[in-house]
Amino acid sequence: MFADESLITGDGIELVSRVWRPETGGPWPALLMRQPYGSSIASTVTLPHPEWWCSHGFVVVVQDVRGQGASGGDFRGFSQEAQDTAETLTWLRSLPDVNGRIGMYGFSYQGLTQLLAPVDCLPPDCMAPAMCGLDERNHWSCDGNAHWWHLSLGWGLQLACLQAQRRGDPAAWEEMRRSLEDGSYLREGLSLLKRHDPEGMAVRWLTQSAERNSDWIRHSPPDRWLRQPMLLLGGWWDPHLRGVIDLAERSRAAGGQPELHIGPATHLEWWPESSALLLNFFQRHLQPPLSEISVHADNPDTDHSPVDSNPIVLRLWDQISEHWCGEEVLSHASIPPSADQRWHLDSQGLACLTPEEGLIRDSAPEHPGKVVIVHDPWRPVPAVGGHLSPNAGPCDRGSLDRRSDVAAFSGDRLSNVLNLCGRPKLRLRVRADQPGFDLCVALSRLPAGTTRVQQLSTGVLRVRGEDALRLQERELELQALQATLQPDDRLRLSIAGSAWPAIGINPGDPAMACAAPSANCRVISIELHLGMAQLWMLPLLTPQTLGTPAD
């Protein structure tokens, strides 16, 4: 059973929490989640119901953040959370049913609330932030200088609907909800947000320049928090994967020993064993022998932050074998076997039209050619699968690669096993005939003996202004991956001029916003000059952070 309980913050705001307690015993360790979506939901879209945690001996506290749900005040997003987290932890430690040990959990917004706190705040005993990051530009809203389009609009409208419901405005709620149901949010979403939630984070993100990194907020947790035991969960098809990897690196740099698990997950669909993984983590750190609990309870101000010289504990799901990697594969996460391998692209101009004319070579071609992609905004190349599209996840992109506005480059059959572990990076010389273009890239596997095109990773690069007219070397980084290709498999790299609606359409005019297709969007011819085109793998983690696999 649960009860709703409140605390009053230092500035007089009531924060309301729903508290579930085990049926017998006590006091217990506590699990805290702070979230903006309503405490009764308790992130059950991905995580077990609080009663399940209670059955394993935890008090579960799910709090409505300021300005959301039953809590008072105005919702201002991430910037409000540090002080409220600190006051919530102080309140939670005072509850008679809590034995002094606290873990924090949750994903996405609920992941970041675990990490924001004043420098002098005593941290929880452990944290399990999933699917989140610290950089509002690179981890929450942009890839390759392009705003996330459908993701930012959809999430912003969800929060705006909650605000409309809170202020008793059913007409606004219906208008926004209907736009999500019929797809019109892709065209009207930003104007809806400006009208119904003009101070919301989504409006700010979508109207800030995606190119000027200095304009964006990057949050910095206290080092003592980053040293706490931390379980980080990421997904190969989650848009926040870069953020989770960055968190692991930052924790290690601060002296922590985080556990990083990257599995077969989108933002809302996780692997079945993730619940058991979380339970094991919290049992290890919050349910030690009674003697340790009593010492902690008697000394609540003791800083239990471990400063450990051991590196990151890492587990990766292989997208091809569909198994968790063994130690022999993980040893390459910081120095992939392909680290010195550079693949080169070759075509004499027909990579968009003739199957097998575009090639991936192990060495630079003697007479490299040029390919021209014509992006027509009337029929933009859609985004499929991957980490940014509406149907995120694994997919067969064969039908896209047969389009005449997609340049496809395929390699020879592999003679040996090839482990791709890390972050693919592409470099090539490009220019367009308009002052703006996008490069939307996919790395895929052609499995031996099939006609499938198994998409493994995607990435984008947006160029705007007069710079787009100049033939220059461009680089873009794709989503990280772990994929072990087998003999007779083949690699494929595909390049298009759009990925709609993962990102808005580049109109080819820097005076216009990148958004839904419109009559003002220009046809753009994009020249790919292949003389210096190279594809290679960056390491998933820096060498000093890599550890051994978890049990």
Side-chain angles (χ1 to χ4, degrees), residues 216-264:
W216 294 77
I217 298 171
R218 181 174 175 85
H219 300 278
S220 297
D223 279 357
R224 68 191 305 208
W225 286 57
L226 292 171
R227 286 194 294 268
Q228 291 297 84
M230 188 181 298
L231 175 63
L232 296 166
L233 302 185
W236 294 126
W237 309 296
D238 177 66
H240 307 288
L241 179 58
R242 284 189 176 99
V244 172
I245 294 172
D246 178 71
L247 271 172
E249 298 270 17
R250 288 171 64 92
S251 171
R252 178 64 190 94
Q257 187 188 359
E259 300 178 31
L260 174 60
H261 300 249
I262 306 176

Side-chain angles (χ1 to χ4, degrees), residues 413-428:
R413 296 185 184 279
L414 296 173
S415 56
N416 298 300
V417 169
L418 174 65
N419 176 36
L420 297 178
C421 179
R423 298 168 288 134
K425 190 156 190 177
L426 175 66
R427 175 190 298 153
L428 73 168

Side-chain angles (χ1 to χ4, degrees), residues 33-299:
M33 177 193 298
R34 303 189 60 251
Q35 51 76 53
Y37 305 111
S39 58
S40 58
I41 297 174
S43 287
T44 49
V45 65
T46 59
L47 295 165
H49 191 276
E51 290 190 1
W52 182 81
W53 296 105
C54 288
S55 72
H56 290 281
F58 298 96
V59 172
V60 181
V61 180
V62 180
Q63 184 184 79
D64 292 327
V65 299
R66 177 181 297 241
Q68 293 288 78
S71 290
D74 298 321
F75 180 62
R76 292 291 181 260
F78 296 151
S79 62
Q80 71 186 29
E81 301 304 348
Q83 185 60 37
D84 286 352
T85 293
E87 295 193 40
T88 300
L89 288 172
T90 298
W91 167 77
L92 191 54
R93 291 186 177 104
S94 72
L95 297 182
D97 292 332
V98 175
N99 66 14
R101 288 193 176 268
I102 299 173
M104 296 184 72
Y105 78 117
F107 82 113
S108 198
Y109 194 104
Q110 302 86 278
L112 190 55
T113 57
Q114 300 173 52
L115 298 160
L116 304 183
V119 173
D120 59 351
C121 179
L122 179 67
D125 295 88
C126 59
M127 292 172 281
M131 315 290 187
C132 65
L134 298 170
D135 188 321
E136 292 191 9
R137 173 180 180 256
N138 296 313
H139 302 157
W140 286 94
S141 60
C142 300
D143 267 44
N145 296 331
H147 293 101
W148 300 348
W149 189 247
H150 103 92
L151 283 171
S152 292
L153 289 173
W155 180 68
L157 288 167
Q158 179 186 5
L159 289 175
C161 281
L162 290 170
Q163 287 292 301
Q165 188 176 29
R166 179 182 172 90
R167 65 177 179 264
D169 189 349
W173 191 97
E174 290 287 348
E175 184 181 21
M176 290 185 285
R177 175 64 191 185
R178 189 174 294 113
S179 76
L180 291 167
E181 292 175 349
D182 64 21
S184 62
Y185 76 100
L186 295 172
R187 184 170 297 278
E188 308 296 339
L190 185 54
S191 62
L192 288 172
L193 287 172
K194 288 179 177 179
R195 186 160 71 251
H196 297 303
D197 192 18
E199 302 300 319
M201 282 190 297
V203 170
R204 175 165 58 84
W205 290 347
L206 286 165
T207 54
Q208 284 185 201
S209 170
E211 301 170 60
R212 293 196 301 271
N213 198 33
S214 59
D215 293 353
W216 294 77
I217 298 171
R218 181 174 175 85
H219 300 278
S220 297
D223 279 357
R224 68 191 305 208
W225 286 57
L226 292 171
R227 286 194 294 268
Q228 291 297 84
M230 188 181 298
L231 175 63
L232 296 166
L233 302 185
W236 294 126
W237 309 296
D238 177 66
H240 307 288
L241 179 58
R242 284 189 176 99
V244 172
I245 294 172
D246 178 71
L247 271 172
E249 298 270 17
R250 288 171 64 92
S251 171
R252 178 64 190 94
Q257 187 188 359
E259 300 178 31
L260 174 60
H261 300 249
I262 306 176
T266 66
H267 196 58
L268 297 181
E269 296 180 3
W270 296 8
W271 61 98
E273 299 81 10
S274 58
S275 297
L277 179 65
L278 286 161
L279 176 62
N280 176 270
F281 174 78
F282 287 126
Q283 287 177 328
R284 280 187 283 127
H285 294 288
L286 299 178
Q287 294 176 333
L290 289 175
S291 59
E292 294 185 25
I293 292 178
S294 61
V295 167
H296 180 82
D298 292 340
N299 297 278

Side-chain angles (χ1 to χ4, degrees), residues 365-401:
E366 187 174 346
H367 302 290
K370 177 179 77 174
V371 176
V372 178
I373 299 171
V374 178
H375 159 65
D376 180 358
W378 181 259
R379 54 186 299 271
V381 176
V384 297
H387 66 292
L388 294 179
S389 80
N391 56 344
C395 71
D396 183 341
R397 61 171 289 121
S399 61
L400 285 192
D401 284 355

Side-chain angles (χ1 to χ4, degrees), residues 421-444:
C421 179
R423 298 168 288 134
K425 190 156 190 177
L426 175 66
R427 175 190 298 153
L428 73 168
R429 298 172 72 216
V430 187
R431 70 179 171 198
D433 66 345
Q434 304 294 331
F437 67 88
D438 292 343
L439 294 180
C440 303
V441 179
L443 183 64
S444 304

